[in-house]
Amino acid sequence: MSTPEIIVKPLNKSDVDRVAIIEAASYGNHHWSKDSFYSEINNRVAKYYTATAPTEEIAGYIGTWHIVDEAHITTIAVHPDYRRQHIAECLIVKSLKDCYNKFIKYITLEVRVSNIPAIKLYEKYGFKSLGTRKGYYQDNNEDALIMWTENIFSDEYKELFGKNIEELEKKVVISCPKE
């Protein structure tokens, strides 16, 4: 059996319709609009990527803002039909590699306190909970964990990242066409 290939590439305008479908399937009534994604494509501090599943359909996306030496993961989602296939992990790896290339030391995000699979994935990549935002999510007033990495240029973090990539590459092939 061959290793599945996940293609990670920059989000472009022709991807927005599919991304909006994933967004709605993932976040229900309180999701970003297509206009929000179009705006992010033109945001000079934003980096957005899609991940294409082995079916060649866009299965997920991630967005980050790069501000000085910090990055903030603004959004990440995988269509319910493609979850648990390492797509979110491939997107996180791509974003972290971008951070290394831009000399960004710290990454932060918010995640629902009830989203245990996502929290475990973030913890795998060295994110730690440093507090909560009470009532952060509008749909149900759920709290968000605020998660941060340590300095990703530390020897300890680089070792963790390298080990995780090595493990991931046994399960999928990550392709990133030139930007």
Side-chain angles (χ1 to χ4, degrees):
M1 188 169 153
S2 66
T3 306
E5 180 181 26
I6 307 296
I7 300 169
V8 179
K9 65 177 190 62
L11 173 69
N12 63 55
K13 289 180 181 180
S14 66
D15 300 328
V16 170
D17 285 343
R18 176 65 184 162
V19 165
I21 290 168
I22 297 167
E23 176 78 5
S26 298
Y27 298 112
N29 291 331
H30 294 277
H31 61 79
W32 286 21
S33 68
K34 287 181 186 180
D35 286 341
S36 296
F37 287 103
Y38 289 126
S39 178
E40 287 298 279
I41 289 170
N42 296 314
N43 179 345
R44 66 178 183 79
V45 301
K47 288 288 221 174
Y48 278 70
Y49 294 98
T50 61
T52 303
T55 61
E56 299 182 17
E57 179 174 53
I58 293 173
Y61 60 89
I62 191 169
T64 58
W65 287 351
H66 294 179
I67 303 169
V68 190
D69 66 347
E70 294 180 9
H72 178 71
I73 297 176
T74 58
T75 188
I76 181 171
V78 174
H79 191 281
D81 293 346
Y82 294 102
R83 292 186 182 153
R84 309 213 46 85
Q85 296 179 35
H86 308 290
I87 291 166
E89 188 170 3
C90 291
L91 289 162
I92 289 169
V93 165
K94 174 60 175 156
S95 289
L96 284 165
K97 286 181 177 181
D98 275 358
C99 291
Y100 277 114
N101 290 335
K102 299 290 184 184
F103 303 101
I104 292 171
K105 297 178 187 176
Y106 307 99
I107 301 98
T108 183
L109 58 83
E110 289 94 8
V111 60
R112 288 179 185 271
V113 295
S114 65
N115 192 344
I116 303 304
I119 292 167
K120 287 181 187 253
L121 178 60
Y122 301 142
E123 288 174 342
K124 178 179 178 178
Y125 280 85
F127 286 83
K128 295 178 178 148
S129 177
L130 296 178
T132 58
R133 295 195 196 282
K134 297 289 183 195
Y136 183 77
Y137 293 98
Q138 295 174 355
D139 63 335
N140 64 358
N141 210 35
E142 185 173 357
D143 296 345
L145 286 181
I146 303 165
M147 300 186 82
W148 285 80
T149 63
E150 300 290 332
N151 184 338
I152 67 171
F153 288 91
S154 72
D155 291 340
E156 181 181 322
Y157 191 89
K158 286 194 261 185
E159 183 179 330
L160 171 72
F161 188 57
K163 183 185 105 201
N164 284 338
I165 289 175
E166 192 174 295
E167 184 181 305
L168 179 62
E169 288 176 341
K170 292 175 184 172
K171 300 170 188 167
V172 297
V173 173
I174 306 170
S175 297
C176 299
K178 295 273 185 203
E179 292 182 39

